[in-house]
Amino acid sequence: MTQTPQDPETPATEHADDGPAADRSAQAIANDVVARVLARAGTARAEGGTVHTAHDGEQLDLEERIALRRVGGLSTELEDVTEVEYRQLRLEKVVLIGMYSGGEAAAAEAEVSLRELAALAETAGSQVLDALLQRRQKPDPGTYLGSGKAAELAELVRSVGADTVVADTELAPSQRRALEDIVKVKVVDRTALILDIFAQHAKSREGKAQVELAQLEYLLPRLRGWGESMSRQAGGQVGSAGAGMGSRGPGETKIELDRRRIRNRMAKLRREIKDMAPSRATKRLERKRHSIPNVAIAGYTNAGKSSLLNALTDAGVLVENALFATLDPTVRRARTDDGRVYTLADTVGFVRHLPHQLVEAFRSTLEEVGDAALLLHVVDASHPDPEGQIAAVREVLSEIPGIEDVPEVIVLNKADVADPSVVGRIQRREKRTVVVSAHTGEGIAELRGLIEDELPRPDVAIDVVVPYSRGDLVNRVHQSGEIDHEEHLATGTLLRGRVDEALAAELERARVTAAAG
């Protein structure tokens, strides 16, 4: 069953203008388009919005991303995508396509996925004009939709003036090429869209290298050449008697040359990312040496991880109601009510069908989660399918070494706008949960107490006089230990309490050295 692409009572192009009279956001317009398509299938459901508070700090980062707007009618790109070999991915006006098989449950899941695809397209800077949702037992191996629906899609693209089609799946290279030949515009799949968003948002040197590596891995099997681009490159004096061995016969084709260059660039990027790893490892070892535990924040994109980090530490991290608003991980220092120091690490957000290229490229970043003392799994409790978000995040986390030993707490965020019945349902399913709202501050105190209880406590009792020359050790006891009694004597500082084993050994060495001196 396929939804009719055009509603005569509500034209798909009615929201195409982005003038000053527009009083709704592009995200709302995109949701309306998707809702209209799904409503005709009888699967649309109401979905509430969430308002997030913007914090200071890196807020200018978002302003820079939205400062430049497209001016229509100035493009010099060719109309027919088949006339060029490569073209930069630049989404502008898009039509979404999706597919599902099964009954109402599959239709509901397809609805959630298509809404998420519309949000992804909006995050990439495009405008969603319309969508096609098809019920089909399995995708067509040639054109994904089938020849009839592909022709229907081509007519829809022409009628609404779209320049890009976005598929809610990862298309095979042959499917993408065949679909482009029919619709005559750029065809982008879900994987390419997510990679493009990551490329826009990466700021750090390591983040940019990781994203570029993922993009090249995706591009390598999808290179395409036309006409003379497939001709062979002659090396040296081909056919000449003085050319020697290796110069006779056919040379290297243009597409083979491009593949070799991509492989060389990928090898260089892997070396650069490997060279960056010691810096991150050194920071982790330094925290371990000083017995500073790490609390990792992970979760679905736009679940409120950065908002939660700001609420717990006043970090000033960029907060916006958008997918992948922050990409590069952030580590902030925090302190429990009893004085113990720990770090909070905000990791990159996850999404359904996260490209495996990104998982591999960001593996060094995700190692922060595997080394954590506690994992705060943030879930958007107001989302239509929070259980699906939890499953998608755990699927990615399962690939991280050591994650099975890290205690996990489900943090149900956005409780101020969530359905209480949904919150109760998740609490019954999950072993350990805490309900919070980073927007209103509800439950933050309870979450702080939970973190304090879960962090490892020092277990070695001490009763030692630390010489005044080793004030650094006294400071470390204050930061990571528990002090029952502190007294300043003539020979040094008397400390009674509990510390970890490594710090206890250093205190004992300092005492012995002072006594021997």
Side-chain angles (χ1 to χ4, degrees), residues 161-351:
D163 57 14
T164 306
V165 171
V166 183
D168 192 19
T169 187
E170 181 171 342
L171 297 175
S174 59
Q175 289 176 320
R176 184 180 64 85
R177 288 196 297 267
L179 206 53
E180 280 183 347
D181 291 340
I182 296 174
V183 299
K184 301 301 182 182
V185 297
K186 185 73 174 181
V187 175
V188 178
D189 60 17
R190 186 185 182 95
T191 299
L193 179 58
I194 295 175
L195 291 174
D196 182 71
I197 295 172
F198 270 61
Q200 291 182 44
H201 294 186
K203 297 298 179 183
S204 67
R205 178 169 170 259
E206 184 176 11
K208 291 179 179 179
Q210 290 167 330
V211 172
E212 184 181 354
L213 176 60
Q215 286 181 310
L216 291 178
E217 288 181 346
Y218 173 81
L219 176 63
L220 185 59
R222 291 171 172 81
L223 290 180
R224 183 179 182 182
W226 288 271
E228 294 185 357
S229 295
M230 298 293 289
S231 61
R232 297 189 177 274
Q233 310 294 311
Q237 297 177 350
V238 178
S240 172
M245 291 184 296
S247 61
R248 292 181 286 270
E252 189 176 40
T253 64
K254 176 65 167 58
I255 197 169
E256 290 169 348
L257 179 64
D258 290 339
R259 287 183 181 134
R260 180 163 54 83
R261 287 175 175 172
I262 288 178
R263 291 192 185 99
N264 291 341
R265 178 60 180 168
M266 288 168 59
K268 182 180 179 182
L269 287 171
R270 289 194 179 98
R271 289 194 299 268
E272 291 180 356
I273 294 174
K274 184 178 179 180
D275 292 340
M276 298 174 196
S279 173
R280 190 178 298 278
T282 300
K283 293 177 182 178
R284 286 199 296 266
L285 289 175
E286 189 69 11
R287 290 197 298 266
K288 289 181 179 179
R289 188 175 72 85
H290 291 285
S291 302
I292 300 178
N294 178 33
V295 177
I297 301 177
Y300 213 77
T301 181
N302 205 29
K305 298 183 300 299
S306 297
S307 299
L308 189 64
L309 180 65
N310 288 337
L312 291 172
T313 65
D314 296 325
V317 178
L318 173 68
V319 174
E320 178 66 17
N321 186 16
L323 304 185
F324 303 115
T326 53
L327 179 57
D328 295 314
T330 303
V331 179
R332 291 291 183 269
R333 192 181 184 94
R335 189 183 297 270
T336 63
D337 292 338
D338 58 5
R340 287 177 293 156
V341 175
Y342 66 96
T343 59
L344 273 167
D346 179 19
T347 59
V348 63
F350 303 135
V351 72

Side-chain angles (χ1 to χ4, degrees), residues 216-489:
L216 291 178
E217 288 181 346
Y218 173 81
L219 176 63
L220 185 59
R222 291 171 172 81
L223 290 180
R224 183 179 182 182
W226 288 271
E228 294 185 357
S229 295
M230 298 293 289
S231 61
R232 297 189 177 274
Q233 310 294 311
Q237 297 177 350
V238 178
S240 172
M245 291 184 296
S247 61
R248 292 181 286 270
E252 189 176 40
T253 64
K254 176 65 167 58
I255 197 169
E256 290 169 348
L257 179 64
D258 290 339
R259 287 183 181 134
R260 180 163 54 83
R261 287 175 175 172
I262 288 178
R263 291 192 185 99
N264 291 341
R265 178 60 180 168
M266 288 168 59
K268 182 180 179 182
L269 287 171
R270 289 194 179 98
R271 289 194 299 268
E272 291 180 356
I273 294 174
K274 184 178 179 180
D275 292 340
M276 298 174 196
S279 173
R280 190 178 298 278
T282 300
K283 293 177 182 178
R284 286 199 296 266
L285 289 175
E286 189 69 11
R287 290 197 298 266
K288 289 181 179 179
R289 188 175 72 85
H290 291 285
S291 302
I292 300 178
N294 178 33
V295 177
I297 301 177
Y300 213 77
T301 181
N302 205 29
K305 298 183 300 299
S306 297
S307 299
L308 189 64
L309 180 65
N310 288 337
L312 291 172
T313 65
D314 296 325
V317 178
L318 173 68
V319 174
E320 178 66 17
N321 186 16
L323 304 185
F324 303 115
T326 53
L327 179 57
D328 295 314
T330 303
V331 179
R332 291 291 183 269
R333 192 181 184 94
R335 189 183 297 270
T336 63
D337 292 338
D338 58 5
R340 287 177 293 156
V341 175
Y342 66 96
T343 59
L344 273 167
D346 179 19
T347 59
V348 63
F350 303 135
V351 72
R352 282 181 178 82
H353 312 301
L354 188 69
H356 70 276
Q357 296 96 336
L358 279 177
V359 177
E360 288 297 324
F362 279 80
R363 186 169 295 278
S364 60
T365 302
L366 296 175
E367 287 175 358
E368 294 285 346
V369 179
D371 291 337
L374 178 66
L375 171 62
L376 300 182
H377 183 166
V378 185
V379 179
D380 181 1
S382 66
H383 192 270
D385 184 22
E387 289 89 352
Q389 289 191 350
I390 295 175
V393 172
R394 284 177 173 168
E395 181 181 356
V396 178
L397 292 178
S398 64
E399 302 183 26
I400 303 175
I403 190 63
E404 61 276 0
D405 299 326
V406 180
E408 179 191 29
V409 176
I410 299 294
V411 181
L412 298 173
N413 193 24
K414 306 183 184 180
D416 53 320
V417 293
D419 186 349
S421 63
V422 175
V423 174
R425 186 180 70 212
I426 299 176
Q427 286 179 315
R428 290 188 296 270
R429 289 170 56 97
E430 300 296 333
K431 294 180 179 180
R432 307 177 63 192
T433 61
V434 58
V435 182
V436 305
S437 172
H439 175 59
T440 64
E442 174 188 350
I444 297 298
E446 181 183 354
L447 179 59
R448 291 180 188 273
L450 186 147
I451 294 174
E452 181 176 337
D453 294 339
E454 288 296 325
L455 289 179
R457 290 183 174 274
D459 54 0
V460 179
I462 58 169
D463 185 352
V464 62
V465 177
V466 183
Y468 289 119
S469 60
R470 296 304 308 271
D472 59 315
L473 293 179
V474 177
N475 180 58
R476 287 176 58 186
V477 174
H478 277 277
Q479 288 186 341
S480 61
E482 296 179 353
I483 299 177
D484 297 331
H485 178 74
E486 182 177 7
E487 183 180 351
H488 298 288
L489 306 177

